[in-house]
Amino acid sequence: MKNIAVIGAGTMGNGIAHTFAQFGFKVKLIDISKESLAKGIATITKNLDRMVAKEKISEEDKKQTLDNITTYTSIEEGVEYAGLVVEAATENEKIKLDIFRTLDKACPEDTILASNTSSISITKIAAVTNRPEMVIGMHFMNPVPIMKLVEIIRGYNTSDEVTNTIMELSKKLNKVPTEVNDYPGFVANRILMPMINEAIETLYNGVAGVQEIDTVMKLGMAHPMGPLQLADFIGLDVCHSILEVMYDGFKNPKYAPCPLLVNMVRAGKLGVKSGEGFYDYSESRKAENVAAQFKI
């Protein structure tokens, strides 16, 4: 399995493509937008330059990694010879189901289909294909080239052979694969998102300010970044979508998105990618300046 196709050139997709290519796999990076593909390659190049500067890789390693990546705007062309396809499109159920219907028709019969979804049911995704036993979740963490964990999610029909293959493949990427079962939010987001949501509720209820909440969690709980900073980094729209999936899946009000989160998403205050969330990123991508609406 040396030919890998990655669907989506955004933050997760370009990180997944980078990682596979760095470890010698031939990668077809696919996106309907040429502009997104160009941005994705630029991001990969920038991240490789950073690794060269830190002497983690050589200039030749960088060149070989970039040579291993080819871009496509057509799914059918990009997946023609793929042994594995990793879908990393936006966290939208309809979009993902449509992609998997297309992949099922376009891919060779023995191609494994994986989704990088962080919350949507692998069983539901697999059900729109004629190969449910070959559909699996590969939930990489952001930033993909750095973070070690890959959540491997078995759908109801995912075969042992496919699960073992993906577990071993993840190890070849110098990752730590961890197998989990297919329930809303899996493990990572089932624990993380309620914490983020509770931090937003704490702010919403006036218990403390943005920096105070983040400071308590960083210094008191040894978290590398506070939950509000992390929400900005993930994207508030993504957090909202994951909580909605969990709320719908469990029908438990503890997973309902905080009204403040809902309103911020409606207002386009999505975090780092929009320039403002709980922090203001107009001058720096670091969480240094609290957004004007939350200044005390």
Side-chain angles (χ1 to χ4, degrees):
M1 190 183 291
K2 297 298 289 183
N3 294 313
I4 311 295
V6 178
I7 310 291
T11 301
M12 296 305 295
N14 71 59
I16 293 167
H18 170 166
T19 302
F20 273 106
Q22 188 177 331
F23 283 86
F25 293 87
K26 298 296 182 183
V27 179
K28 310 295 176 60
L29 181 59
I30 306 165
D31 198 293
I32 57 173
S33 166
K34 289 184 179 180
E35 181 181 356
S36 293
L37 287 168
K39 287 182 178 179
I41 294 298
T43 297
I44 294 170
T45 303
K46 181 180 178 180
N47 290 336
L48 288 168
D49 285 338
R50 188 178 294 114
M51 295 175 79
V52 170
K54 293 180 178 179
E55 299 184 346
K56 292 185 176 181
I57 62 172
S58 66
E59 281 287 351
E60 181 57 33
D61 293 330
K62 170 192 166 184
K63 179 181 182 302
Q64 188 60 56
T65 298
L66 291 172
D67 286 347
N68 283 338
I69 303 173
T70 311
T71 60
Y72 291 82
T73 54
S74 165
I75 287 180
E76 288 79 6
E77 292 179 16
V79 303
E80 187 175 4
Y81 302 109
L84 168 68
V85 179
V86 182
E87 170 274 318
T90 185
E91 193 70 358
N92 178 289
E93 184 178 290
K94 183 182 183 303
I95 291 173
K96 289 186 185 294
L97 295 183
D98 286 344
I99 288 172
F100 273 80
R101 289 187 185 98
T102 301
L103 290 175
D104 190 44
K105 294 175 182 176
C107 292
E109 291 183 1
D110 59 349
T111 302
I112 296 174
L113 306 181
S115 176
N116 181 59
T117 180
S118 56
S119 61
I120 297 169
S121 168
I122 298 302
T123 303
K124 189 168 188 177
I125 291 172
V128 303
T129 75
N130 292 307
R131 60 180 92 190
E133 73 284 355
M134 300 188 71
V135 178
I136 195 166
M138 289 185 79
H139 179 207
F140 290 85
M141 304 294 124
N142 185 28
V144 180
I146 297 172
M147 299 292 279
K148 289 286 190 182
L149 176 67
V150 184
E151 261 190 318
I152 307 298
I153 305 104
R154 292 188 66 142
Y156 190 81
N157 292 303
T158 307
S159 72
D160 290 340
E161 181 181 0
V162 165
T163 302
N164 293 335
T165 296
I166 296 303
M167 294 285 283
E168 291 305 311
L169 180 66
S170 300
K171 292 175 184 176
K172 292 178 181 178
L173 302 176
N174 198 25
K175 301 297 186 187
V176 179
T178 303
E179 183 181 336
V180 305
N181 290 318
D182 187 18
Y183 291 94
F186 315 132
V187 171
N189 282 319
R190 185 167 179 173
I191 295 170
L192 175 63
M193 285 302 154
M195 182 193 73
I196 287 176
N197 201 40
E198 195 62 32
I200 299 171
E201 286 277 2
T202 303
L203 176 66
Y204 180 57
N205 292 330
V207 178
V210 171
Q211 287 181 316
E212 288 75 15
I213 292 167
D214 279 351
T215 297
V216 167
M217 296 306 291
K218 285 190 289 186
L219 299 186
M221 312 304 167
H223 290 195
M225 64 174 72
L228 300 176
Q229 179 187 356
L230 180 56
D232 276 356
F233 180 69
I234 293 169
L236 301 191
D237 53 336
V238 176
C239 294
H240 179 267
S241 294
I242 295 170
L243 285 163
E244 286 282 11
V245 168
M246 293 169 65
Y247 181 46
D248 182 64
F250 290 116
K251 301 295 189 292
N252 188 324
K254 75 177 181 179
Y255 298 114
C258 174
L260 174 59
L261 174 61
V262 174
N263 279 340
M264 290 181 72
V265 171
R266 286 173 177 167
K269 309 292 187 181
L270 308 181
V272 176
K273 61 185 170 185
S274 71
E276 184 181 341
F278 295 105
Y279 292 87
D280 184 338
Y281 301 95
S282 57
E283 297 180 3
S284 171
R285 288 178 65 86
K286 295 180 180 179
E288 297 174 331
N289 301 311
V290 174
Q293 74 179 95
F294 299 119
K295 287 184 177 178
I296 300 172

